[in-house]
Amino acid sequence: MSRTKPGPSAPGPSATGPIRLGQQARAILRPTTATMTTGFWQRRRQVNADVGIPQGPELLENAGNLHNLRLVAGAVEGAFEGDYPFQDTDVYKWLEAASWQLLQDATAGRDTTALASTVQGIIALVSAAQEPDGYLNTWFQSGKGAGRYTDLRWGHELYCAGHLIQAGVAHHRATGEPELLSVAVRFADHIDSVFGPGGSGKPLDGFDAHPEVETALVELYRETGERRYLDLAGYFVDRHGHGVHHHEAYCQDRVPVREAETVEGHAVRQLYLLAAVADLAAETGEGDLAAAAARLWHAMTTTKTHLTGGVGAHHDKEDFGDPFELPNERAYCETCAAVASIQFSWRMALLTGDARYSDLIERTLFNGFLAGVSLDGEEWLYVNPLQVRDGYVSAGGDQSSRRTRWFRCACCPPNVMRLLASLEHYVASTDGSGLQIHQYASGVCTGQAGDEQVAVRVETEYPWRGPVALTVEKTAGTPWTLSLRIPQWCSAYTLTRDGVPVDADVDDEGWLRVERVWAEGDRVELDLDLSLRLVSADPRVDAVRGCVAIEHGPLVYCLEQADHPDGGLDDLVVDVRTPLAVKERPDLLGGVVTVVATGRRRTLAQPNWWPYTPAGAHGDSGTTGARDTGEPVPGEALELTAVPYYAWANRTTGSMRVWLPTL
Amino acid sequence: MSRTKPGPSAPGPSATGPIRLGQQARAILRPTTATMTTGFWQRRRQVNADVGIPQGPELLENAGNLHNLRLVAGAVEGAFEGDYPFQDTDVYKWLEAASWQLLQDATAGRDTTALASTVQGIIALVSAAQEPDGYLNTWFQSGKGAGRYTDLRWGHELYCAGHLIQAGVAHHRATGEPELLSVAVRFADHIDSVFGPGGSGKPLDGFDAHPEVETALVELYRETGERRYLDLAGYFVDRHGHGVHHHEAYCQDRVPVREAETVEGHAVRQLYLLAAVADLAAETGEGDLAAAAARLWHAMTTTKTHLTGGVGAHHDKEDFGDPFELPNERAYCETCAAVASIQFSWRMALLTGDARYSDLIERTLFNGFLAGVSLDGEEWLYVNPLQVRDGYVSAGGDQSSRRTRWFRCACCPPNVMRLLASLEHYVASTDGSGLQIHQYASGVCTGQAGDEQVAVRVETEYPWRGPVALTVEKTAGTPWTLSLRIPQWCSAYTLTRDGVPVDADVDDEGWLRVERVWAEGDRVELDLDLSLRLVSADPRVDAVRGCVAIEHGPLVYCLEQADHPDGGLDDLVVDVRTPLAVKERPDLLGGVVTVVATGRRRTLAQPNWWPYTPAGAHGDSGTTGARDTGEPVPGEALELTAVPYYAWANRTTGSMRVWLPTL
């Protein structure tokens, strides 16, 4: 936690993407242009481009979201379709995803006509639905709510506005076209005319219980230069914690965020709010905001984050649990919370320059986030548990541990779409004196050395293999630093040039830094030991006591019923004394590296009626009629096959577990 | 599971209480008259009589329940108060509790004038609120719902009717007065005129998604002899599982109950339904109903019951989890579910004669049930977790792990009151050839030997001490059998007469049976080894892997923060190699036996940001910059004090845990 205060401004503008830090921003790093041309993520992004985003309009049509826009625009008659006042956000997030995709396609020289036309059509719908004064929310406009801003606890009007603003900014950045941004600006101006502190003359003094507008308003300030939006964001952030919503943690109102000691309440709400806190810290330079953001991130990762990077321990209220309360089968780990965690962490990485934030991004991307979409891009998980038991019965609905085509509350799918479509924005940065590579994927990363742009080509089969080849494609006349993130999980690596070790150490922030006068064509090779690992948890994580989990590189693994057809998973134990092995399986789940382990199947005697017995006395029958549970009898050694967690639930609907009891 | 089919009828009527099995009922046992004159339960019952029940009217007044009755009776103007369509049940359950208390008081020769008068006043209110056609539900009558029976999923009208019927039956049995029973009969007749199978000519064919009316209707049949009520109960029970409520498990509609393989969905709903299944099996003799009830009870106890006897693993939907999904901190274990479990189990004990059902009753009574009310009788728990973490933040509301004066949904407190007020009904039974003692408490238990009544005086300091002295007070001219339940947890006992061991064995059903020609004044002493125990769970209960719990006699113990002021509980481990000891503490928590154990406090190095590390490598710093969690360092031996779980949360609001990690 060496640099929690905002540092000096770094030169150079941010690359085009969700975050555009200006010259004045007190952040150490700026995101830079990167490409992901081949490899793991590009395959996932291609599915997103080919299947994910294109299916959006039809799904939004079927769910009534587009109908609702037409309804309030007066283009159709009927009633609001759906159950929630936040349904417009599904449209906005899809528009944001499509906008980033248009940028990708245009940059790559692909034809954007069809997608651009679809986007234009939906933007026209959104624009037509907007009231003359800028207000826009189809739920309230169609008479479902009692009236504008009468229900800030549940109405989600500003939450919807936030996603509209992010979509408007994205579309403008991606295409240069002003229409959607104009709609967003009109709504933002309307909100600014309504909300303000007591004494400001504004009619309302409060905040939306679902944060989102705050971070969006900062970005709107960055896009337009209009300071009012930044001030409004700051007002909303600091309005939390003073009882507008009865100090409910669910509403992020228990304590002021500057004073908070831990993350709490609804996970997505907490993390969208904290993204705004990091944004504000960068733009205003307020050290206590930066310190609060760092403190809460630390509380989250040390005590409230699952191995997969997923967050949110409770189904009920979708909220964070108590410290070290990290259940497996009831891990909520909403896909949206993974997205929000990545958004928050990336802002912190930029603010502080610390690579540990990108460590968490990597872990979340490869595990807790990516599991949220099926390999074919057509089905989704809203919750991402770390265990599905033998005998699991789905209650149906959004909170099932079963993949679903769409949800009644469909927040997650378009959230996945927009992150995948803008993923290259999270890959590289500059501090003005070189280039930091946060995520390893084949492509080209750029940086800034003083006034000169530098570029490095990355070639890797990561995360399946450890070598990452780095070739300087563009350099500067002065020395500059190539910084490579050494992942938190990685205990061994080599860095070589022409086979000769390069002398460089990892600093406290997780960066392997090489400063030199680089020449074009210079090539170094980082080889990360993917180090097949059995990991255990802090002993206070009660849920996984006596268990290990399998990791390989950045991937968390799990056992699935599909690979163990001869019985349930809950009776398996893993033999940690027998070495594990990786096995390439190009035939499986779109091509994965599996992990082969040795296990045993417990064969329990026919259970009596009570499953609790004197410790160490399992099997004792006693002398006077006591009845007990049978002794577990370890069976024959058998081969266990672990697959990457992100790929689970793409075959059968059987059981799954990440944490495995040991022999 | 030796006798799951109903057996032949046993002679002798049931004693006055919640269940009155007639001569024709196909149940092995009949509940008999018992008293609890001194000791553990009588103290709890005295608090219930002195504090619990008397405070009811004021609390019901404050919560609006009585207002709502006056409102629909036209006695006051205004609006419905409260949030739920089932609020009338709080009144009905209180009336039932007060009725059983009137019976206790009258039997003991105490003055009942004041309580009887209060009861009469409230019965008059209920009667005045009833519609001329018998319908009664203040929520719908005051216009809160769309209309009678339009919302069987959430309306709770028949659920309310069920509690009204039980109250009416109780008041009639306790006092002989007909008023409340008449109200109940009118409502039951109304329901019978409305609901029936397709083709019956009845306007509605469905069932209330919250069972309760079913078991109540069987009891109304038993009270009135009117066969229609039994038939209506059977119709409702068998209507489940056919899609009236979209096959939702929450509504007990996923599968027909005769085909069900496990308990599922909302725990209270499931168990009230199963109480009715057991009732019907006894009255109709249907073997498949009896088999289903036994099968589901077995599934519940083997895979879905917490150590405390509490059931219901999920806060969300208040439902059973998957098999072996038994979390500690999120154990829901609603107090009402404990009551429902006891009601179901007692019907099964009577139906089958098997003592294991009363084993579960004992465990639930002493632990999961009794924790639901504070020692002073003034505060309540709705949920009964097995762990409250260091750092627990209450979100407030009914589902908090904090004691509360009353709840928005106040189902639990009057449920506790009615069970405590009728507890002597669960103590003893007869099979026509003697007396079975199910629960040990000082008092007199009666039985039947042919046509003659027999009686045994019980003297014991159970559960604190193991000896139970049994003196025959009344005997028959023929041999008869005294059957004593040997608790499931008890691995050693002696039975002596005048210090000489009695030759008797425990049968497969858990009964120690002594058949002889008993003389008045015959005295035997059962000495149950309370056997201070460390217990562990079936290895499939992931939540408690590597942990033990402390039991002594029927009591489950827990650690509380109040007894361990020098740090959090979550860092403690128990040393299982050091013997435990009991310690009498008359000064503590109203007088308890505590358990003293030896433990250590883990001192963890300052945590790094990621709490998961290579297994067996805690503390390794690696060679290349890997960052890890500190090694747990066991501290000095220290004394741990465990208190009975039922007494937790009567001092501070700190942490608590039942399951303890071992050194």
Side-chain angles (χ1 to χ4, degrees):
Chain A
M1 298 186 58
S2 51
R3 282 201 255 173
T4 56
K5 291 180 185 172
S9 297
S14 293
T16 303
I19 303 171
R20 187 164 73 184
L21 290 160
Q23 288 288 353
Q24 305 309 318
R26 245 71 69 86
I28 304 288
L29 309 179
R30 298 288 182 280
T32 52
T33 303
T35 59
M36 299 173 119
T37 50
T38 61
F40 183 90
W41 282 112
Q42 189 50 31
R43 286 176 64 189
R44 305 316 321 149
R45 282 154 57 80
Q46 198 62 47
V47 171
N48 191 51
D50 293 344
V51 179
I53 292 173
Q55 73 193 327
E58 183 181 345
L59 292 165
L60 293 169
E61 192 67 79
N62 294 344
N65 305 62
L66 301 181
H67 161 85
N68 293 335
L69 289 164
R70 288 189 204 101
L71 181 69
V72 303
V76 296
E77 300 202 334
F80 185 91
E81 291 183 5
D83 302 311
Y84 299 113
F86 45 77
Q87 287 177 212
D88 297 345
T89 57
D90 303 340
V91 179
Y92 303 150
K93 278 188 279 192
W94 183 85
L95 282 171
E96 184 184 341
S99 297
W100 299 129
Q101 191 59 44
L102 286 171
L103 176 66
Q104 305 312 315
D105 291 346
T107 304
R110 289 186 291 267
D111 179 19
T112 62
T113 315
L115 182 57
S117 167
T118 304
V119 166
Q120 279 301 342
I122 294 179
I123 289 175
L125 268 183
V126 172
S127 180
Q130 189 169 37
E131 299 285 339
D133 67 357
Y135 182 86
L136 177 49
N137 181 296
T138 61
W139 174 271
F140 286 92
Q141 287 171 278
S142 60
K144 294 285 283 184
R148 288 183 186 185
Y149 309 128
T150 54
D151 183 10
L152 291 175
R153 186 181 187 284
W154 189 242
H156 287 84
E157 289 151 290
L158 306 189
Y159 167 76
C160 291
H163 280 297
L164 172 62
I165 291 167
Q166 288 181 335
V169 167
H171 191 248
H172 187 245
R173 286 182 186 164
T175 67
E177 294 167 10
E179 290 84 350
L180 191 60
L181 182 62
S182 301
V183 174
V185 163
R186 283 196 294 273
F187 199 175
D189 289 343
H190 171 73
I191 293 167
D192 188 41
S193 74
V194 171
F195 286 90
S200 66
K202 308 284 181 68
L204 285 176
D205 181 15
F207 65 91
D208 192 309
H210 198 317
E212 162 64 17
V213 75
E214 297 83 357
T215 186
L217 283 167
V218 176
E219 211 58 43
L220 188 61
Y221 155 71
R222 290 168 176 160
E223 188 66 6
T224 63
E226 181 62 69
R227 175 87 195 184
R228 280 185 300 122
Y229 304 138
L230 182 66
D231 295 341
L232 187 59
Y235 156 69
F236 282 136
V237 165
D238 280 325
R239 201 68 189 80
H240 286 254
H242 300 285
V244 167
H245 297 294
H246 309 291
H247 291 286
E248 275 186 71
Y250 179 74
C251 300
Q252 300 299 319
D253 193 33
R254 200 176 65 83
V255 291
V257 68
R258 291 173 200 256
E259 300 167 16
E261 292 294 333
T262 189
V263 289
E264 64 180 24
H266 189 281
V268 177
R269 296 175 188 225
Q270 172 72 89
L271 295 172
Y272 282 170
L273 178 62
L274 289 176
V277 171
D279 282 328
L280 282 166
E283 298 300 337
T284 69
E286 291 171 276
D288 62 339
L289 278 180
R295 184 171 68 241
L296 294 174
W297 189 91
H298 190 258
M300 175 176 78
T301 56
T302 50
T303 70
K304 299 191 180 184
T305 303
H306 284 83
L307 187 68
T308 56
V311 289
H314 296 168
H315 279 234
D316 185 47
K317 297 195 173 71
E318 305 187 316
D319 64 355
F320 283 104
D322 291 321
F324 303 105
E325 184 193 345
L326 294 162
N328 292 307
E329 69 277 44
R330 295 292 280 183
Y332 198 65
C333 296
E334 183 182 338
T335 305
C336 282
V339 172
S341 169
I342 291 165
Q343 292 178 337
F344 172 39
S345 292
W346 185 229
R347 285 161 174 80
M348 293 304 293
L350 300 173
L351 184 68
T352 66
D354 198 324
R356 65 184 172 149
Y357 295 106
S358 291
D359 281 342
L360 183 66
I361 291 173
E362 175 180 69
R363 180 174 289 273
T364 308
L365 278 174
F366 275 108
N367 303 288
F369 162 76
L370 192 55
V373 55
S374 65
L375 295 176
D376 64 10
E378 293 192 349
E379 290 193 320
W380 313 87
L381 285 170
Y382 190 112
V383 300
N384 294 278
L386 277 72
Q387 178 182 13
V388 176
R389 286 177 187 274
D390 303 331
Y392 169 77
V393 175
S394 171
D398 297 355
Q399 300 185 357
S400 165
S401 294
R402 299 279 183 249
R403 291 203 182 277
T404 305
R405 184 77 180 100
W406 203 244
F407 304 110
R408 283 175 61 227
C409 169
C411 49
C412 297
N415 228 345
V416 172
M417 293 177 196
R418 68 177 182 148
L419 181 55
L420 283 173
S422 60
L423 193 61
E424 77 292 340
H425 190 65
Y426 298 79
V427 169
S429 68
T430 186
D431 60 359
S433 61
L435 162 63
Q436 301 84 40
I437 300 182
H438 296 253
Q439 306 299 335
Y440 296 108
S442 292
V444 176
C445 299
T446 64
Q448 204 74 20
D451 293 334
E452 295 182 89
Q453 197 189 52
V454 299
V456 168
R457 171 169 297 281
V458 179
E459 292 162 293
T460 183
E461 292 177 70
Y462 194 83
W464 307 123
R465 294 194 171 96
V468 182
L470 303 135
T471 308
V472 175
E473 289 210 333
K474 198 170 175 186
T475 189
T478 53
W480 55 273
T481 303
L482 176 63
S483 299
L484 305 172
R485 180 178 62 85
I486 302 302
Q488 169 270 338
W489 51 261
C490 180
S491 60
Y493 64 87
T494 58
L495 184 70
T496 54
R497 195 161 60 129
D498 301 329
V500 179
V502 176
D503 184 26
D505 286 327
V506 180
D507 69 13
D508 287 346
E509 295 180 327
W511 292 111
L512 182 66
R513 299 190 193 271
V514 186
E515 183 184 10
R516 53 176 285 123
V517 181
W518 296 92
E520 278 179 29
D522 272 358
R523 179 184 164 99
V524 292
E525 184 163 298
L526 174 69
D527 194 352
L528 298 165
D529 182 354
L530 299 182
S531 58
L532 184 50
R533 311 179 297 284
L534 291 172
V535 299
S536 61
D538 183 295
R540 289 167 293 190
V541 183
D542 295 278
V544 302
R545 182 168 291 112
C547 292
V548 295
I550 299 170
E551 294 187 343
H552 182 238
L555 296 170
V556 174
Y557 279 70
C558 66
L559 298 189
E560 268 203 297
Q561 185 70 66
D563 299 305
H564 305 88
D566 296 330
L569 295 187
D570 293 343
D571 288 333
L572 294 176
V573 293
V574 63
D575 181 351
V576 296
R577 299 161 308 191
T578 307
L580 283 65
V582 296
K583 186 172 179 181
E584 302 211 1
R585 288 289 302 273
D587 57 308
L588 192 67
L589 294 165
V592 293
V593 169
T594 62
V595 175
V596 178
T598 302
R600 310 256 173 175
R601 183 174 298 284
R602 287 189 298 250
T603 48
L604 298 170
Q606 181 67 21
N608 207 315
W609 69 273
W610 191 242
Y612 308 97
T613 50
H618 287 270
D620 274 358
S621 64
T623 54
T624 54
R627 292 160 284 169
D628 52 69
T629 304
E631 162 79 352
V633 182
E636 295 295 299
L638 51 88
E639 186 177 292
L640 307 181
T641 296
V643 298
Y645 174 77
Y646 78 80
W648 87 278
N650 278 283
R651 293 175 291 177
T652 65
T653 55
S655 47
M656 179 275 291
R657 58 188 303 160
V658 168
W659 289 97
L660 310 172
T662 57
L663 187 60
Chain B
M1 300 184 56
S2 51
R3 281 203 256 173
T4 58
K5 291 181 185 172
S9 297
S14 293
T16 302
I19 303 171
R20 186 164 73 184
L21 290 160
Q23 289 288 353
Q24 305 309 318
R26 245 69 71 86
I28 304 287
L29 309 180
R30 298 288 181 278
T32 52
T33 302
T35 59
M36 299 173 118
T37 49
T38 61
F40 184 91
W41 282 112
Q42 188 51 29
R43 286 176 63 190
R44 306 317 319 150
R45 281 154 57 81
Q46 198 62 48
V47 171
N48 190 51
D50 294 343
V51 179
I53 291 173
Q55 73 194 325
E58 182 181 347
L59 292 166
L60 293 168
E61 192 68 80
N62 294 345
N65 304 62
L66 301 181
H67 162 85
N68 293 335
L69 289 165
R70 290 190 203 100
L71 181 71
V72 303
V76 296
E77 298 203 337
F80 184 93
E81 292 182 6
D83 302 311
Y84 300 112
F86 44 77
Q87 285 177 214
D88 297 344
T89 57
D90 303 341
V91 179
Y92 302 150
K93 277 188 280 193
W94 183 84
L95 283 172
E96 183 184 341
S99 298
W100 298 130
Q101 190 60 45
L102 287 172
L103 176 65
Q104 304 313 314
D105 290 347
T107 304
R110 289 187 291 266
D111 179 19
T112 62
T113 315
L115 182 58
S117 168
T118 305
V119 166
Q120 279 300 343
I122 295 179
I123 288 175
L125 267 184
V126 171
S127 181
Q130 187 168 38
E131 299 283 341
D133 66 358
Y135 182 87
L136 177 47
N137 181 295
T138 61
W139 173 272
F140 286 92
Q141 286 171 279
S142 60
K144 295 284 285 186
R148 288 183 185 185
Y149 309 127
T150 54
D151 183 10
L152 292 174
R153 186 181 187 284
W154 188 241
H156 287 83
E157 289 150 291
L158 306 190
Y159 168 76
C160 291
H163 280 298
L164 172 62
I165 291 167
Q166 289 181 336
V169 168
H171 191 249
H172 188 246
R173 286 183 186 164
T175 67
E177 294 166 10
E179 291 84 350
L180 190 60
L181 181 62
S182 300
V183 175
V185 163
R186 282 196 294 274
F187 199 175
D189 289 342
H190 172 72
I191 293 167
D192 188 41
S193 75
V194 171
F195 286 90
S200 65
K202 308 284 179 71
L204 285 175
D205 181 17
F207 64 92
D208 193 310
H210 199 317
E212 161 66 16
V213 75
E214 296 82 356
T215 186
L217 283 167
V218 176
E219 211 58 43
L220 188 62
Y221 156 72
R222 290 169 176 160
E223 188 66 6
T224 63
E226 181 62 68
R227 175 86 196 186
R228 280 185 300 124
Y229 304 138
L230 182 65
D231 295 340
L232 187 58
Y235 156 71
F236 282 136
V237 164
D238 279 326
R239 201 68 190 81
H240 287 255
H242 299 285
V244 166
H245 296 294
H246 309 291
H247 290 287
E248 276 186 71
Y250 179 73
C251 301
Q252 300 299 321
D253 192 34
R254 200 176 64 82
V255 292
V257 68
R258 290 173 200 256
E259 299 167 16
E261 293 294 334
T262 189
V263 290
E264 64 180 23
H266 189 282
V268 178
R269 296 175 188 226
Q270 172 73 88
L271 295 172
Y272 282 170
L273 178 63
L274 289 176
V277 171
D279 283 328
L280 282 166
E283 297 301 336
T284 68
E286 290 169 277
D288 62 338
L289 278 180
R295 184 170 69 239
L296 294 174
W297 189 91
H298 190 257
M300 176 176 78
T301 55
T302 50
T303 70
K304 299 191 180 185
T305 303
H306 284 82
L307 187 67
T308 56
V311 288
H314 295 168
H315 279 235
D316 186 48
K317 298 195 173 72
E318 305 186 315
D319 63 356
F320 283 104
D322 291 321
F324 302 105
E325 183 193 345
L326 295 162
N328 293 306
E329 69 277 43
R330 296 292 278 182
Y332 197 64
C333 295
E334 183 182 338
T335 305
C336 282
V339 172
S341 169
I342 291 164
Q343 292 179 337
F344 172 40
S345 291
W346 185 230
R347 284 161 173 80
M348 293 304 293
L350 299 173
L351 183 68
T352 66
D354 198 326
R356 64 185 173 149
Y357 296 107
S358 290
D359 281 342
L360 184 66
I361 290 173
E362 174 180 70
R363 180 173 288 274
T364 307
L365 277 174
F366 275 108
N367 302 287
F369 162 76
L370 191 55
V373 56
S374 65
L375 294 176
D376 64 9
E378 293 191 350
E379 291 193 321
W380 313 87
L381 285 170
Y382 190 112
V383 301
N384 294 279
L386 277 72
Q387 178 182 13
V388 176
R389 287 177 184 275
D390 302 332
Y392 170 76
V393 175
S394 170
D398 298 353
Q399 300 185 357
S400 165
S401 295
R402 298 279 182 248
R403 290 204 182 276
T404 305
R405 185 74 179 100
W406 203 244
F407 304 110
R408 283 176 61 228
C409 168
C411 48
C412 298
N415 229 345
V416 172
M417 294 176 197
R418 67 176 181 149
L419 181 55
L420 283 173
S422 60
L423 194 61
E424 77 291 341
H425 190 64
Y426 298 80
V427 168
S429 68
T430 185
D431 61 358
S433 60
L435 161 63
Q436 301 83 41
I437 300 183
H438 297 253
Q439 306 299 336
Y440 296 109
S442 292
V444 176
C445 299
T446 65
Q448 203 74 19
D451 293 333
E452 295 182 271
Q453 197 187 50
V454 298
V456 169
R457 171 169 297 280
V458 179
E459 291 163 292
T460 183
E461 292 178 69
Y462 195 82
W464 307 123
R465 295 195 170 95
V468 181
L470 303 135
T471 308
V472 176
E473 291 211 333
K474 197 170 176 186
T475 188
T478 52
W480 55 274
T481 304
L482 175 63
S483 300
L484 304 172
R485 182 178 60 86
I486 301 302
Q488 168 271 339
W489 51 261
C490 180
S491 60
Y493 63 86
T494 58
L495 184 71
T496 55
R497 196 162 58 128
D498 300 328
V500 179
V502 176
D503 184 26
D505 286 326
V506 180
D507 69 12
D508 288 345
E509 296 179 329
W511 292 111
L512 182 67
R513 299 191 193 269
V514 186
E515 184 185 7
R516 52 178 285 124
V517 180
W518 295 93
E520 277 179 32
D522 272 357
R523 180 185 162 100
V524 293
E525 184 164 298
L526 174 68
D527 193 352
L528 298 166
D529 181 354
L530 299 182
S531 59
L532 184 50
R533 313 180 294 284
L534 291 172
V535 300
S536 60
D538 183 297
R540 289 167 293 191
V541 183
D542 295 278
V544 302
R545 183 169 290 112
C547 292
V548 295
I550 298 169
E551 293 187 344
H552 182 239
L555 297 170
V556 174
Y557 278 69
C558 66
L559 298 189
E560 268 203 295
Q561 185 70 65
D563 299 305
H564 305 88
D566 296 330
L569 295 187
D570 294 342
D571 288 333
L572 294 176
V573 293
V574 64
D575 182 350
V576 296
R577 298 162 308 193
T578 308
L580 283 66
V582 297
K583 186 172 179 180
E584 301 213 1
R585 289 289 302 274
D587 57 309
L588 192 68
L589 293 165
V592 294
V593 169
T594 63
V595 175
V596 178
T598 302
R600 311 255 174 175
R601 183 175 297 286
R602 288 188 299 249
T603 49
L604 298 170
Q606 181 65 22
N608 207 315
W609 69 272
W610 191 242
Y612 307 96
T613 50
H618 287 271
D620 273 359
S621 63
T623 54
T624 53
R627 293 160 284 169
D628 52 69
T629 303
E631 163 79 351
V633 181
E636 296 295 299
L638 50 88
E639 185 176 294
L640 307 181
T641 297
V643 298
Y645 174 77
Y646 79 80
W648 86 278
N650 279 284
R651 294 176 290 177
T652 65
T653 56
S655 46
M656 178 276 290
R657 58 189 303 159
V658 168
W659 288 98
L660 310 172
T662 56
L663 187 62

